[in-house]
Amino acid sequence: MSAELETRVLRKITMRIVPFVMLLYFVAFIDRVNIGFAALTMNKDLGFSPTVFGFGAGIFFLGYFLFEVPSNLVLDKVGARIWIARVMITWGLISGAMAFVQGSTSFYVLRFLLGAAEAGFFPGIILYLSYWFPSQQRAAVTAIFMAAAPLSTVLGSPVSGALLEMHGLLGLSGWQWMFIVEAVPALILGVVVLFYMTDRPEKAKWLSDDERNWLVTTMNAESAKKAGTASHSVWRGLADLRVIALSLVYFGTSAGLYTLGIWAPQIIKEFGLSSLQVGFLNALPGIVAIVAMVLWARHSDRSGERTWHVVGACMLACLGLVLAGFAGTVLAVLLALTLVNIGISSAKPPLWSMPTMFLSGSAAAAGIATINSIGNLGGFVGPAMIGWIKDLTGSFQGGLFFVAGLLVLSAVLTLVLARSQRTSAATAAGALPQR
């Protein structure tokens, strides 16, 4: 009976929560990286150099960095429902305002504000999933949620490319229409969140009494089991060296992710294709990445292994970036970008399963937000360096190699962290009284 109840509850909460948070992240990611498609025509209209564009695209993550931890702590206190709704409505308004950028200053300001507005969304959802799903299922659930990022590329790229073709309608450029139209879903879903999302299992009226009791008991027991070893306070979550190490690991993966999101359309465009053709071709690598990341995360859950699943994925993405730097045809670029997509996407679910293994409560809220905020600075450094190196050399190659180096660093740090964890565990075991 217990096994049947567990299966029923996990199925219910998965069907209720995961598709919805996927939809939210899908919209978030489109609004975050559609700047890459806007650049196909916006940069010429506004006279932006690669350096100006790269800096403006990346400054999003400075706003994100500054407001990430405070935002996630507020979410932990007031509940996901109210705070996620606030986040989405605010970022929808600012994303739509991007249509009215006049020059580099307004571009920088709005991108910074967009990052500040969206701060707390992603780590908030990661924290939210930890309220509902036992740790054994968390990597697979996180993978399904995070599949929204490559899925947004698959579905969003052709849409963004098509919206750019609306140039001249009602006196607006295609890139202006793209920002306006793609901001609307965030505003609508922000209102829907208020009525649909449930803060905690204890409040889940859509579960029967026995289902709700099982889930609450299971999650409380897991928290109690961690109580002796996990960090709970905000400051422990911020100061834990493991959090800092994971932040640096995430830095490299974020540099890779946003290199794809922000620069891939322009890399493909260099082969003389139309915006609509770029949209469809840019979607192809994401299709493969979605399947790969889900299978990779399931394998990580079944084996209980996290370290090599992160390391292997980072090195695959590194290989893809190097190959993209040498690619001389559209087909070669697409194959290389496919490897990058698979590696970046597959690294994240096992990586995000690590912090909640040693953090709980307010420490988990602070720690997850810290990893995401510091790590996402890679989303500033990667795109900005690619733009700067492109201006210096006239080629994307040097910038792609730079980001590949960051991914090697991520892989090395993951191995160092794993070795440190094993040493600490062995020391703790040796300190236990012998019987």
Side-chain angles (χ1 to χ4, degrees), residues 33 45-46 63 67 110 172 182 215 224 226 242 258 262 264 269 309 359 370 396 427:
V33 302
D45 288 352
L46 300 179
F67 292 95
L110 282 174
L172 296 177
E182 292 184 351
L215 183 59
K226 286 193 297 183
R242 293 168 294 186
Y258 294 106
I262 292 169
K269 178 79 170 179
H309 283 80
L359 298 173
T370 300
F396 285 109
T427 301

Side-chain angles (χ1 to χ4, degrees), residues 302-375:
R302 283 198 303 269
S303 65
E305 202 286 324
R306 306 300 187 197
T307 301
W308 287 104
H309 283 80
V310 175
V311 171
C314 285
M315 294 309 297
L316 181 64
C318 171
L319 174 63
L321 286 166
V322 171
L323 293 176
F326 288 112
T329 66
V330 175
L331 179 60
V333 164
L334 286 176
L335 290 174
L337 292 179
T338 299
L339 294 180
V340 182
N341 267 276
I342 292 171
I344 293 297
S345 299
S346 297
K348 290 180 180 289
L351 176 59
W352 278 117
S353 297
M354 292 178 177
T356 50
M357 293 168 66
F358 57 86
L359 298 173
S360 64
S362 295
I368 290 170
T370 300
I371 293 166
N372 200 51
S373 59
I374 295 176

